[in-house]
Amino acid sequence: MTPVLRTERLLLDPYTPEDEEAFVALFQDARVSRWMGDGPTTEAEDRALFGRVFTKVYAEDLFDVWAVRRDGRLVGHAEIKRTDEVDGHEIIYALTPGAWGSGLGTEIAEAVVAYGFEELGLTEVHATVAAPNTASLALLTRIGFAHVRDVREDDGSTTRVLTRHRAPAAV
């Protein structure tokens, strides 16, 4: 079951059915969806994705998916999941454009990475980022991720794979 995580300004908790409209609005915003998965999808596809969060992801405890809230309002999305693309666990996060540039992305990424290391016992966490997404690449580099390789996508674009290793335990 996806646990509740807290940062200085954010609450990361499981989605509720009442979050559907805000979830769809986030994923339908082209400024956000251009960096997510294979890019923008239809509203119907995003509603179906929201439904699968409950019928598959939460019901089968597949991986952790969070609604990201600030002052009770949905401002983002986060997840950590095993993926063959990086042969390990990948973090995924998104914020509403109104929350960009305020350090909230850093809070989300740090919280999810810490959860991966401390609760899931991972020794490394990965992120895949479209090469033109310089804001996300800079954020991840700032919090200790290092570029390890590039993946050439079928459409000719480049995805950067970044990895952060868990710090060795203090002796």
Side-chain angles (χ1 to χ4, degrees):
M1 182 66 180
T2 297
V4 173
L5 306 179
R6 294 181 196 284
T7 71
E8 184 180 328
R9 299 176 288 172
L10 300 172
L11 173 69
L12 284 71
D13 66 351
Y15 281 101
T16 67
E18 294 75 32
D19 292 322
E20 183 172 359
E21 295 309 315
F23 175 95
V24 170
L26 175 68
F27 279 74
Q28 282 293 295
D29 189 315
R31 297 167 294 178
V32 176
S33 62
R34 69 183 286 212
W35 306 120
M36 302 291 288
D38 294 326
T41 55
T42 67
E43 181 179 333
E45 289 171 310
D46 288 338
R47 288 190 188 283
L49 174 63
F50 185 77
R52 285 193 304 278
V53 167
F54 296 94
T55 61
K56 293 286 290 172
V57 178
Y58 291 157
E60 298 176 21
D61 199 20
L62 298 179
F63 53 91
D64 296 298
V65 177
W66 293 274
V68 178
R69 303 176 202 283
R70 182 172 188 194
D71 300 327
R73 198 172 57 82
L74 187 94
V75 296
H77 170 88
E79 50 188 85
I80 186 168
K81 65 182 179 183
R82 175 124 179 73
T83 175
D84 291 337
E85 188 171 337
V86 295
D87 192 27
H89 281 73
E90 176 182 15
I91 65 165
I92 296 165
Y93 57 90
L95 271 174
T96 59
W100 291 356
S102 61
L104 296 179
T106 300
E107 283 186 41
I108 296 168
E110 286 279 32
V112 175
V113 167
Y115 172 77
F117 289 154
E118 296 163 15
E119 302 303 321
L120 300 180
L122 304 176
T123 57
E124 61 185 20
V125 175
H126 308 278
T128 57
V129 181
N133 189 349
T134 55
S136 197
L137 291 168
L139 182 161
L140 292 166
T141 300
R142 268 195 317 277
I143 66 168
F145 279 77
H147 174 248
V148 292
R149 66 185 165 94
D150 288 339
V151 176
R152 185 59 126 192
E153 302 295 347
D154 292 340
D155 65 3
S157 65
T158 299
T159 297
R160 301 218 184 277
V161 178
L162 298 94
T163 301
R164 179 170 162 184
H165 296 276
R166 182 179 188 153
V171 182

